[in-house]
Amino acid sequence: MFRRHRNEDDAFLSGLKTHLDCRILPHGFYPLIPTILSSMALWTSTVQDGCDYGRLEGEESISRITGSDVFPFLEVGLYNYRAPVFYATENEWKLAFTYDCQDYPNEIIDTWWTIGKYLTIASAVLAGTLSFFLWFTTCTTFSVRTWRFCGIQAFLAAIFRAGSFFFFTTSICIKGNAECLFSFGSKVDILGIILWILA
């Protein structure tokens, strides 16, 4: 009886040792490619400051957000916006990145905006967990099923990240003479989507 339990324990430990074979690059060099690509894709979602996703032009939308029609444009994001500052010496409106982002009024946030926010959050959660998990390939072996799961997770992170572009279909971007142009945040999101697909 004790011998049978000992044999079962030995088989369990042997299987565990096979999967947790902690040595440097047990799969070789190639798993570092998706690991580094996923880390770079995760980095692209952390470099944004929350109010640099697009550039909004259009007097009606700007006045809905700020309550004023003096600004020629706004730097807008999924969560906050930044108003430009007028530099009298240069006679020009410029963004002062040292100023804090400002909150939107609640009444302008619509359904597409909310969907874009939630998809961005879901993408960040998937991206963070996958990027962290893939670094274990440097010292442990993964089964084929685990690699497939990682591929599906990377694809979902890319799809959800693309959902952030729903922001450009919101009322502040399409009503009246409003126009939302790509800015730093949206361009970095495009790079992140490409990196997730490559990973």
Side-chain angles (χ1 to χ4, degrees):
M1 179 173 158
F2 292 115
R3 184 175 294 163
R4 189 177 67 176
H5 285 300
R6 188 181 308 160
N7 288 341
E8 288 173 0
D9 290 343
D10 289 344
F12 173 75
L13 289 174
S14 174
L16 190 62
K17 225 184 254 186
T18 302
H19 290 306
L20 297 177
D21 184 14
C22 194
R23 56 194 165 104
I24 295 177
L25 299 175
H27 292 286
F29 170 76
Y30 295 109
L32 281 179
I33 295 170
T35 303
I36 291 170
L37 287 173
S38 67
S39 296
M40 291 169 59
L42 178 64
W43 171 80
T44 63
S45 62
T46 61
V47 296
Q48 303 173 35
D49 69 357
C51 55
D52 60 354
Y53 198 73
R55 180 183 175 117
L56 172 65
E57 297 175 356
E59 193 175 302
E60 183 184 337
S61 291
I62 290 173
S63 62
R64 282 177 60 205
I65 294 171
T66 63
S68 171
D69 60 354
V70 298
F71 302 111
F73 66 89
L74 292 178
E75 192 86 356
V76 291
L78 290 168
Y79 301 96
N80 307 94
Y81 72 93
R82 180 181 286 122
V85 177
F86 184 72
Y87 290 87
T89 55
E90 301 173 31
N91 196 26
E92 189 177 359
W93 289 91
K94 290 184 179 181
L95 291 169
F97 293 101
T98 53
Y99 288 15
D100 289 337
C101 299
Q102 300 171 20
D103 293 331
Y104 290 109
N106 287 332
E107 61 270 8
I108 67 164
I109 297 175
D110 60 16
T111 305
W112 290 114
W113 200 327
T114 306
I115 289 171
K117 279 184 179 180
Y118 286 127
L119 287 174
T120 303
I121 292 168
S123 174
V125 169
L126 286 172
T129 55
L130 179 61
S131 182
F132 178 74
F133 184 70
L134 281 176
W135 277 105
F136 284 103
T137 62
T138 59
C139 68
T140 60
T141 56
F142 283 3
S143 67
V144 173
R145 184 186 302 170
T146 306
W147 281 111
R148 285 186 188 135
F149 175 74
C150 290
I152 291 168
Q153 195 170 352
F155 179 72
L156 288 175
I159 294 294
F160 290 166
R161 186 79 168 271
S164 66
F165 288 95
F166 281 129
F167 177 78
F168 292 103
T169 64
T170 59
S171 61
I172 66 164
C173 289
I174 60 173
K175 275 193 176 176
N177 64 345
E179 184 180 17
C180 285
L181 308 169
F182 285 0
S183 189
F184 176 75
S186 51
K187 291 174 184 175
V188 166
D189 266 1
I190 292 170
L191 175 63
I193 291 166
I194 292 168
L195 288 170
W196 278 121
I197 291 170
L198 291 175

